Amino acid sequence: MQRSLGKPHAAFTLLETLVALLVFSLTLSLIQTELKQLPKVLTGTFVEEDIRWHLASQQVEAFLTGATFEKCEHNKVYFYQPANQKHYRIEPYKQMIRLMGDKQGHMPVLLGIKAATLNYHAPFIQLTATTTSGQHYQSEFYLAPMEKQP
C-alpha cells in the first residue's frame, strides 16, 4: 500500500473537538444562569420605578399644598405658591418631569420618562406618565382653583 504524496488534509482531531464541546457547554450553562436571573432583575427594576414614582408623587403633593391654580396650557400647569410668593409650573421636559419657577431654575421631580401628560380638571391635576421601560403611571393632585377677584 502506498500513500499519496501531497499535503495532508486539514481536520479536527478528537482532542480539539472535545475542547470545542467543553467551551460550548460552559457557554450554554452561563447563558442559562443569566436567563434564570433575568426575571429577578426585571422585577427589581419595576419595584425601583414604583418607589421612585411614589416618592415623586409625594414630593409634588407637598409642593402643591396651599398653592392655587393659574392656568393649564401646552401640557404645562401653572400655579401660585403663596407661602413662597412665587409662580411655578410643572411640566414634562426631555426625559423628566420638572418643577420650574417663573424666572429661572428648575427642580427635576422624576427622571426616566418617555411620555407624560398634564391636565387640570378642577380641582385636580392629572399626571399620566410612561417610563422609558414601558411602565404606565397616573396620579391626581389637589390644586385649589384661583380665587376670583371682585
Side-chain angles (χ1 to χ4, degrees):
M1 296 208 335
Q2 199 172 10
R3 290 187 181 183
S4 65
L5 297 175
K7 284 189 164 182
H9 296 309
F12 287 111
T13 64
L14 181 60
L15 181 62
E16 290 172 330
T17 304
L18 290 175
V19 168
L21 286 174
L22 178 67
V23 169
F24 182 71
S25 65
L26 288 174
T27 304
L28 281 180
S29 70
L30 287 174
I31 290 173
Q32 182 182 15
T33 305
E34 292 298 320
L35 289 176
K36 283 182 182 177
Q37 295 297 322
L38 187 62
K40 292 177 186 176
V41 170
L42 291 177
T43 302
T45 300
F46 292 141
V47 169
E48 288 175 18
E49 282 185 352
D50 287 346
I51 291 170
R52 284 190 3 228
W53 175 260
H54 291 296
L55 288 173
S57 295
Q58 287 179 342
Q59 188 178 17
V60 169
E61 187 75 41
F63 201 82
L64 292 175
T65 302
T68 55
F69 173 77
E70 291 182 329
K71 65 182 176 178
C72 179
E73 61 184 22
H74 307 295
N75 208 23
K76 299 174 187 174
V77 175
Y78 296 83
F79 58 95
Y80 177 71
Q81 181 58 267
N84 302 337
Q85 297 181 348
K86 290 185 178 178
H87 298 270
Y88 294 96
R89 73 177 178 254
I90 185 168
E91 64 183 356
Y93 176 74
K94 295 188 179 178
Q95 288 191 335
M96 74 172 93
I97 296 171
R98 69 180 183 178
L99 283 167
M100 192 164 176
D102 62 344
K103 295 189 184 339
Q104 62 183 1
H106 75 273
M107 179 176 71
V109 175
L110 187 62
L111 302 173
I113 300 297
K114 183 169 41 173
T117 57
L118 286 158
N119 296 306
Y120 184 75
H121 304 288
F124 294 99
I125 295 175
Q126 182 182 53
L127 171 61
T128 306
T130 304
T131 62
T132 51
S133 68
Q135 289 285 95
H136 299 285
Y137 297 97
Q138 182 174 346
S139 289
E140 290 188 350
F141 307 99
Y142 177 77
L143 183 59
M146 181 180 273
E147 296 177 11
K148 296 187 179 190
Q149 301 292 330

